[in-house]
Structures are given as structure tokens and as C-alpha cells.
Amino acid sequence: DVPKRSLWQRIKDVVRTDVSVLFKGVDEGSLEALETLLIESDFGVPTSLALVAEVERRHKRGDVKSESEFRQALADGVEAALRKGNSDPALRTNPGGPTVVLVIGVNGAGKTTFIGKLSAAFRAEGKRVLLGAADTFRAGAIDQLRVWSERAGVDFVGGAPGSDPASVAFDAVDAGVTRGVDVIIVDTAGRLHTSDDLMTELRKIHRVIGKRLPDAPHEILLVLDGTIGQNALSQARTFSAAVPVTGIVVTKLDGTAKGGIVVAVHEALDVPIKFVGLGEQIGDLEPFDAGDYARELVE
Ligand code: GDP
């Protein structure tokens, strides 16, 4: 489980070093240093302030007398933030037919890779999966998804390059329903001429899927690159203004020690984190667990 270890190790190195240096007794200077460290780790200002306030509150109560209590206070604060509000990481499923998962996010965020990993995970559970390639805008996107579908051993429906993405999405859902698959995953474009065009297209895809299968899509997963810092927040806001995002996937956490963006995005959108991406291989997908995440962050 190397990618996971390297992620947590990196975060741990940053936090642990600083926590032990910080913990010469909790005073104003060390709390300020902690706040800076958290902001640098992409927790965002509001969350960083709240975490520091939690450490301070416990310290005043006499509950932060050691480094381990200091870490515990931090972990509890992170876990509480991740469990606040809409935070159930379980994938929504459709008990009466195929579950439709719509996957959105900008180019390069790791959408295609995530879809490949998710397909493989469903396959491992014995589920029948169909991928729909509704990114007809970018040359190569359809082929790339087809390659992943072959690798994962799942069905594939793709239109011609330049064809209407919403009709590809419709056809994919239609084919999935007709063939009786368990899961239909629809890929979408990550860039069009303008952001407005992209959001209009996503709304149309969303609407058309619901026309073919009422209550679908059951999940709208927004894929965000965990290495782009606070830009992930503005992307999250733009996408969730266009369609009702039901879950967040944060990728490339193996490549950064700044795991705080996971907390910042959950808090900003009030949407659960459902997966984190920890590598480029088909097995490098982790279902999200707030408690594990928080503990390993400061262990
Ligand atoms: P898309 O444009 O959103 O479909 O993005 P891709 O799936 O093509 O991914 C863009 C790049 O990021 C590729 O080089 C992927 O191998 C890489 N990538 C995707 N997810 C991860 C991850 O969790 N960790 C790492 N290190 N790289 C990733």
C-alpha cells in the first residue's frame, strides 16, 4: 500500500515535525505557527482558525498537556469538520435498476483515471459496468476512456468526436438499462470554449440522463486535483452552481503533503468527500474515511 503510506507519511512529516517543535507548551506563538502550518496545508483560513480554536479551547480546559493530546485535539477537530453536515461517504445506489454516476471536473483533474479505478472496483465486487464517453470535445478523450474500459473489462458506449455529448449520455444510459448492467458511469468534458458553455452542457447532460431514467444520475461526482490548492475551491463552487454535486473525489494526494484541501472543499460545499486518489494505477483508489484521514494526518 505504498501510495497511501507516502501520502500520510508526507503529511505526517510536516505536521509531526512542527507539532513537536510547536509543543513547548501551548502558547500564543505556537498556536500562530500551527495556524500558519494549517493554512499552508490548504485547510483554508476558516477551517485553520477553527482547528486552532479547538486546540486552544482544550488547552484552557487543561486537556492539552502533552504532544499526544495536542495531536488528538487536532485530529478530533479535523474529523469533526469532515463529519459536519452532509458527510456520508457511501455511494448512492439505485435499488431498482442501474446506478448512474455522472463524473465532472476540469481536464487534467484525473477524471478518466478515476473512472477506470472506480470501474475496476465495481468489477471486483462482481458488478457489471458500462462507461459512457460524453466528452466528445477533446480529441483523444473517447479513446482514452475506451482503453480504461478494456483494462477494467467493462462495457463502453462512445459517440463520434464532435457529436452531441448529451445524446451520447442518453445512449449510454439507454444501453445500460437495456443490457441490465449494475452501474453506468458517464464521463464529461472538462473544458469547452468557455466555462459558461461547459456549465450549460453539463446541465443538459444532467437533464437528459433524467429523461431516460427517472431519479438518475444517482451520483454526481466532482473530481478535483488535490495539488492545486485553493483553486480547487473555486472550481468546486463553479461546478456545484451548475449541477447538484453529490460527492467529491480528491485526486493526486500521493503527490502532495497538503491534504487540507479535502477538509476545505467539504466545508465550502457541504458535500461529502467520497474518494481520494493516491496514484495512477488502477488499484490506487481509497474510499474515504473521515476518522482514518484525521488520525493519519497527525499520527
Ligand atoms: P482527466 O483529464 O481529468 O481525465 O485526467 P486524467 O485521468 O487523464 O489524469 C491526468 C493525469 O493525472 C494523468 O497523468 C494521470 O495519470 C494523473 N493522475 C490521475 N489521478 C492521479 C492520482 O491519484 N495520483 C497521481 N499521482 N496521478 C494521478
Side-chain angles (χ1 to χ4, degrees):
D1 207 0
V2 174
K4 182 163 186 270
R5 192 162 57 240
S6 69
L7 160 68
W8 303 130
Q9 195 59 53
R10 276 172 237 224
I11 294 171
K12 236 158 57 174
D13 286 349
V14 174
V15 176
R16 179 185 261 165
T17 307
D18 286 282
V19 166
S20 56
V21 170
L22 288 177
F23 194 77
K24 299 198 165 84
V26 179
D27 58 24
E28 224 158 85
S30 60
L31 289 175
E32 233 174 79
L34 176 64
E35 187 185 305
T36 305
L37 175 73
L38 293 172
I39 292 171
E40 282 170 5
S41 300
D42 286 334
F43 281 90
V45 176
T47 308
S48 301
L49 293 176
L51 288 173
V52 172
E54 174 63 15
V55 172
E56 203 171 3
R57 198 175 60 77
R58 290 193 186 198
H59 176 247
K60 285 195 174 133
R61 244 173 32 195
D63 291 343
V64 183
K65 295 185 297 297
S66 65
E67 189 184 320
S68 79
E69 286 176 342
F70 193 118
R71 286 196 224 142
Q72 190 62 47
L74 207 53
D76 289 350
V78 170
E79 183 174 351
L82 287 167
R83 290 197 192 282
K84 210 161 56 186
N86 184 12
S87 60
D88 182 2
L91 270 188
R92 299 182 195 192
T93 54
N94 176 16
T99 297
V100 180
V101 181
L102 182 64
V103 181
I104 63 177
V106 304
N107 283 351
K111 269 196 314 293
T112 315
T113 307
F114 166 70
I115 291 170
K117 293 172 180 178
L118 187 63
S119 307
F122 279 126
R123 288 286 301 125
E125 290 174 16
K127 300 230 161 72
R128 186 160 171 209
V129 180
L130 181 143
L131 300 187
D135 178 0
T136 59
F137 184 75
R138 185 165 61 102
I142 300 168
D143 288 338
Q144 201 191 344
L145 198 69
R146 194 196 313 273
V147 169
W148 274 105
S149 77
E150 284 161 8
R151 211 176 286 167
V154 301
D155 288 17
F156 178 85
V157 169
S163 62
D164 177 29
S167 72
V168 176
F170 185 93
D171 290 348
V173 174
D174 187 57
V177 170
T178 308
R179 295 180 201 176
V181 305
D182 301 300
V183 186
I184 300 162
I185 306 175
V186 179
D187 184 27
T188 58
R191 204 178 91 82
L192 288 186
H193 303 289
T194 69
S195 171
D196 279 353
D197 287 346
L198 177 57
M199 298 308 145
T200 303
E201 180 179 296
L202 289 177
R203 273 190 287 267
K204 186 173 164 199
I205 291 172
H206 182 240
R207 211 166 47 235
V208 161
I209 288 174
K211 286 215 169 103
R212 179 57 189 86
L213 188 65
D215 298 328
H218 309 91
E219 282 281 1
I220 303 178
L221 299 181
L222 171 61
V223 179
L224 297 170
D225 179 338
T227 66
I228 63 170
Q230 300 297 303
N231 286 337
L233 274 185
S234 57
Q235 284 178 14
R237 291 198 177 96
T238 304
F239 278 97
S240 64
V243 288
V245 173
T246 57
I248 305 286
V249 180
V250 184
T251 63
K252 309 188 195 179
L253 284 177
D254 52 310
T256 176
K258 300 184 170 189
I261 194 66
V262 166
V263 182
V265 169
H266 165 63
E267 295 228 299
L269 259 60
D270 191 31
V271 168
I273 307 295
K274 298 218 166 170
F275 293 97
V276 290
L278 301 168
E280 300 181 81
Q281 302 306 312
I282 206 154
D284 297 336
L285 186 71
E286 287 276 314
F288 190 71
D289 183 278
D292 286 352
Y293 185 86
R295 269 190 301 279
E296 294 182 28
L297 203 60
V298 290
E299 241 165 37

